[in-house]
Amino acid sequence: MSTPATTGHGKAVASMFSRIVPWYDMLNTVLSLGIDRYWRKRLVQEVRLGSTGTVLDLAAGTLDVSLAIRRRYPQARVPALDFCPPMLFQGQKKLRGANAQAISPVAADAKLLPLPDACVDAVTMAFGIRNILPRHEAFAEMARVLVPGGRACILEFGSGKQRVWGGVYNVYLDHILPRIGKIISQDASAYTYLADTIRNFPVAEALEEKMREAGFAAAWHIPLTSGIVCLHIAEKARS
Ligand SMILES: C[S@@+](CC[C@H](N)C(=O)[O-])C[C@H]1O[C@@H](n2cnc3c(N)ncnc32)[C@H](O)[C@@H]1O
């Protein structure tokens, strides 16, 4: 199945997610001990709905963030964009009733959004930005489609370079997570990739600097679960 990914790196990432689709949701729950649900709920608490009534969910995957947005804002419309169509198809199976009307899955690259300027109140992205290079292109697109004063709310693992829980988490990340991922998904590379990208992910301050350079007026972060995960929030200028 073709992907709208705009680069070779993007095509490789989309292909990897298309291989692990059947196990993706289950492995999220197993590998995070179910805490991933709380992280997405916390992400959506930072979203502010305004005059457009629209929240753009980027790297939407199997639509768990899109559904969390609808739980918090039952009136919101949610375009859900991802460049891996099989992930969106899997997510679509979860949509019923009003959610099936309000959540619109669209195959698109976060670095080239098929949307006009200033058309959404907020942008969400959970566990997507780690996979995107160069990141400033995605940040610039987020800033472009947000209304003045709109927020980008980005959930991502913290930099795995930092020691957490006296190094226990780092041992989990380096040795246990890739093994469980391989056993369940039968895909050795996908969960080694996960650990590698977490380890190489920049610290929060460096990411925020990139967001400001891409056009956001302010950026800050909230560490969750001892910094294993970090919630990055950036606001576009009001005028
Ligand atoms: C780890 S999954 C996260 C899915 C979902 N947000 C969640 O919380 O479970 C990462 C998703 O990002 C998507 N993705 C990565 N880079 C992308 C890009 N440049 N444009 C659109 N989607 C992208 C992948 O296809 C994959 O579905």
Side-chain angles (χ1 to χ4, degrees):
M1 190 172 304
S2 71
T3 164
T6 52
T7 60
H9 168 76
K11 287 185 174 66
V13 171
S15 157
M16 185 196 74
F17 279 102
S18 69
R19 292 198 307 273
I20 61 169
V21 168
W23 302 277
Y24 178 78
D25 283 340
M26 192 255 278
L27 269 166
N28 275 349
T29 307
V30 170
L31 293 173
S32 74
L33 304 176
I35 306 171
D36 61 319
R37 221 180 133 77
Y38 158 74
W39 291 332
R40 289 191 193 82
K41 185 175 172 186
R42 189 63 194 80
L43 163 72
V44 168
Q45 283 171 358
E46 295 300 322
V47 166
R48 305 286 178 265
L49 198 64
S51 57
T52 74
T54 305
V55 180
L56 170 63
D57 185 22
L58 286 180
T62 55
L63 306 181
D64 282 351
V65 173
S66 305
L67 286 162
I69 293 165
R70 291 272 307 156
R71 279 193 288 277
R72 182 161 176 88
Y73 292 113
Q75 73 277 35
R77 280 190 307 275
V78 185
L81 272 60
D82 197 292
F83 67 12
C84 179
M87 289 286 275
L88 294 173
F89 288 136
Q90 185 76 8
Q92 227 162 357
K93 296 177 193 164
K94 302 175 192 169
L95 303 186
R96 307 262 180 282
N99 283 337
Q101 302 298 315
I103 298 175
S104 312
V106 177
D109 193 320
K111 296 191 295 181
L112 192 65
L113 297 177
L115 294 169
D117 296 354
C119 66
V120 301
D121 294 322
V123 172
T124 56
M125 181 184 275
F127 306 114
I129 198 67
R130 204 172 14 91
N131 302 289
I132 299 179
L133 292 172
R135 297 194 176 101
H136 67 84
E137 292 184 13
F139 293 147
E141 279 293 80
M142 291 178 193
R144 180 181 69 76
V145 300
L146 279 168
V147 296
R151 270 188 180 188
C153 302
I154 300 178
L155 185 67
E156 191 47 89
F157 289 99
S159 175
K161 292 187 194 84
Q162 288 163 339
R163 273 167 67 83
V164 179
W165 297 339
V168 171
Y169 166 67
N170 307 77
V171 170
Y172 170 77
L173 186 62
D174 291 344
H175 301 289
I176 301 173
L177 179 147
R179 284 191 188 136
I180 299 177
K182 180 184 169 187
I183 291 165
I184 298 183
S185 73
Q186 299 293 304
D187 194 313
S189 59
Y191 286 85
T192 306
Y193 167 86
L194 172 63
D196 286 348
T197 51
I198 295 173
R199 224 178 288 117
N200 294 320
F201 196 64
V203 294
E205 291 75 12
L207 200 74
E208 282 157 21
E209 189 57 34
K210 288 257 176 294
M211 295 184 89
R212 285 189 212 98
E213 283 169 13
F216 285 96
W220 64 98
H221 68 278
I222 304 169
L224 303 177
T225 317
S226 305
I228 288 175
V229 160
C230 201
L231 184 45
H232 304 270
I233 301 153
E235 259 175 21
K236 186 169 168 176
R238 288 189 183 275
S239 57

